[in-house]
Amino acid sequence: MHSRHLIDLTDLTLPELEEITQLACDIKQNIDSYYGICRGKILATLFYEPSTRTQMSFQTAMLRLGGRIIGFDNPANSSVSKGEGLKDTIRVVSGYSDIITIRHPVAGSAKAASLYSRVPIINAGDGGHLHPTQTLTDLVTLRVEKGTFSGLCIGVCGDLKNGRTVHSLIKALATFPNNKFVLISTPSLGIPLYIKDYLSASGAEWIETNSLAEAMPLLDVLYMTRIQRERFASESEYISQRGVYILDKDKMSLAKKDMIVMHPLPRVDEITVDVDDDPRAKYFEQTEYGLYARMALIIKMTEHSVKKLEPVPKGENVKCSNPDCITHRETYLPNTFVKNGDLLVCEYCEERTLL
Ligand code: NCD
């Protein structure tokens, strides 16, 4: 892989995406033949936020490759509870492991971790920002279930504002030709501006709607998401948004016969359980493909050797305008931006600040 870290799926070139998803499909067919590829290697899983599938599939992936695992799934049981910053934890753990996967509640945390790591960092979800390995899982699902990443009409429904899986998925699928997006949400949980800009720049067609029923007949893929309760400022705000979109048997009857339903899980109430028996429901298969996707990714990323840490360059004298950006929590981080016209795009969380 040309990039050392996987912070955003854009760190992979299209041929690399092709290669990793193809490898995942081969692993699916011949999983036992991959045992031993990572013998002697250690994966650290640093989970500052709850997780079932992502954490366990990473751990299973490394164990199935013959490697070993260390880590924490509750920062309260680590030195984080004593006030240790991200930089110090990462410097230490990158001396103990060959590859690190990190999930953290703050946008930009994985990018921040990559600055202080001697080994590759994989972003397993940074706040409401991105979740590239879920997207890799989703791409393997599309490869197996639809046979293509192109020419699809993809509906994404639910909490498009805070759902990091949706942000990564749209960024990835917009790079393939002839995909159309139907963004289904309430106005207050709409997709962030930076993703809309990304979509428009890619040339992909997209529309916004608040009606799941009206969108159903158009779709080749429906990607449902839960309302991200933990990212709301207040419980009453969450209550006002929950239960708006529920996929049930009646709505499924409006869909194409070969449409597929995906969901990163966990599901709360946005898909009724009777939909699980519909052959178009692929969300449990999707969790299994996540294992193969992560095995393929670990194989590719452990090809990088341990690197000597270079001093981190100084940043700008401008602060990111997003109060939830990691640069406001870990204040030693250099403020770095990419210029886009009269905007500065934060390199950690992608929020835009006016020059
Ligand atoms: C997602 C996440 O953590 O963003 N879960 C997952 O990794 N499969 C989706 C969610 O929590 O809603």
Side-chain angles (χ1 to χ4, degrees):
M1 267 175 58
H2 82 287
S3 170
R4 212 179 148 64
H5 306 289
L6 184 74
I7 307 304
D8 186 339
L9 221 55
T10 52
D11 291 328
L12 299 178
T13 61
L14 289 188
E16 283 172 342
L17 263 184
E18 176 66 29
E19 190 189 349
I20 291 177
T21 53
Q22 175 59 53
L23 179 58
C25 291
D26 190 66
I27 293 171
K28 176 175 183 289
Q29 301 305 328
N30 309 293
I31 192 161
D32 290 341
S33 68
Y34 287 86
Y35 187 79
I37 287 194
C38 286
R39 186 172 289 122
K41 303 260 189 217
I42 294 177
L43 165 76
T45 53
L46 305 185
F47 276 62
Y48 293 73
E49 257 194 351
S51 171
T52 300
R53 278 150 289 274
T54 307
Q55 185 185 208
M56 285 192 186
S57 63
F58 264 117
Q59 294 177 340
T60 309
M62 193 46 145
L63 294 172
R64 290 235 180 256
L65 293 168
R68 297 181 195 207
I69 53 175
I70 58 171
F72 58 73
D73 57 11
N74 181 355
N77 296 335
S78 77
S79 285
V80 175
S81 66
K82 301 179 188 168
E84 184 168 77
L86 188 60
K87 170 182 176 180
D88 294 3
T89 307
I90 294 295
R91 277 197 75 154
V92 171
V93 177
S94 78
Y96 297 159
S97 57
D98 300 283
I99 184 163
I100 295 174
T101 179
I102 177 171
R103 167 170 290 189
H104 194 284
V106 183
S109 48
K111 159 83 184 167
S114 71
L115 300 179
Y116 304 103
S117 178
R118 296 161 59 206
V119 301
I121 294 281
I122 300 176
N123 182 5
D126 61 324
H129 182 216
L130 296 172
H131 193 347
T133 70
Q134 179 61 47
T135 301
L136 213 50
T137 299
D138 302 339
L139 291 177
V140 174
T141 307
L142 289 178
R143 195 175 178 122
V144 177
E145 301 293 343
K146 298 298 281 180
T148 182
F149 303 143
S150 308
L152 297 169
C153 182
I154 303 128
V156 283
C157 177
D159 188 347
L160 310 189
K161 178 179 176 211
N162 302 300
R164 55 194 173 196
T165 60
V166 163
H167 305 161
S168 285
L169 182 72
I170 292 176
K171 283 181 86 176
L173 287 178
T175 61
F176 291 94
N178 303 323
N179 285 328
K180 291 184 195 153
F181 297 87
V182 183
L183 310 176
I184 309 153
S185 73
T186 60
S188 55
L189 295 185
I191 203 90
L193 208 56
Y194 77 88
I195 301 282
K196 284 187 185 172
D197 286 352
Y198 197 91
L199 268 174
S200 301
S202 76
E205 265 183 58
W206 59 278
I207 52 165
E208 283 183 295
T209 174
N210 57 16
S211 169
L212 176 57
E214 277 174 32
M216 284 309 280
L218 308 172
L219 308 177
D220 299 308
V221 178
L222 172 60
Y223 198 93
M224 291 295 292
T225 61
R226 101 189 140 89
I227 307 301
Q228 305 271 306
R229 182 180 201 158
E230 68 276 27
R231 308 212 193 280
F232 281 76
S234 70
E235 184 68 3
S236 60
E237 249 182 82
Y238 164 69
I239 290 169
S240 73
Q241 295 294 326
R242 75 170 179 204
V244 176
Y245 296 106
I246 302 213
L247 180 66
D248 56 16
K249 272 190 150 172
D250 287 347
K251 291 217 183 59
M252 286 298 283
S253 71
L254 305 171
K256 292 183 188 170
K257 291 208 163 23
D258 63 348
M259 182 210 63
I260 62 166
V261 183
M262 295 167 65
H263 191 310
L265 302 183
R267 153 180 58 187
V268 183
D269 57 1
E270 59 281 354
I271 303 180
T272 57
V273 289
D274 52 5
V275 175
D276 300 356
D277 301 326
D278 189 306
R280 295 170 290 180
K282 297 295 179 192
Y283 28 91
F284 290 112
E285 284 86 343
Q286 199 179 341
T287 63
E288 188 191 319
Y289 303 146
L291 169 64
Y292 311 132
R294 291 178 175 112
M295 286 176 75
L297 184 66
I298 292 172
I299 291 172
K300 286 288 151 204
M301 292 193 71
T302 47
E303 285 168 359
H304 289 283
S305 53
V306 172
K307 182 185 105 179
K308 198 167 149 275
L309 267 186
E310 303 294 341
V312 175
K314 270 180 86 116
E316 316 261 351
N317 274 333
V318 183
K319 286 245 159 233
C320 175
S321 59
N322 174 10
D324 297 323
C325 175
I326 191 75
T327 52
H328 294 286
R329 307 285 179 99
E330 309 272 333
T331 48
Y332 52 83
L333 289 168
N335 292 292
T336 53
F337 303 89
V338 176
K339 259 205 182 115
N340 179 359
D342 54 358
L343 292 172
L344 291 176
V345 180
C346 175
E347 286 205 297
Y348 298 85
C349 71
E350 294 183 83
E351 199 59 64
R352 286 94 57 91
T353 303
L354 257 179
L355 254 180

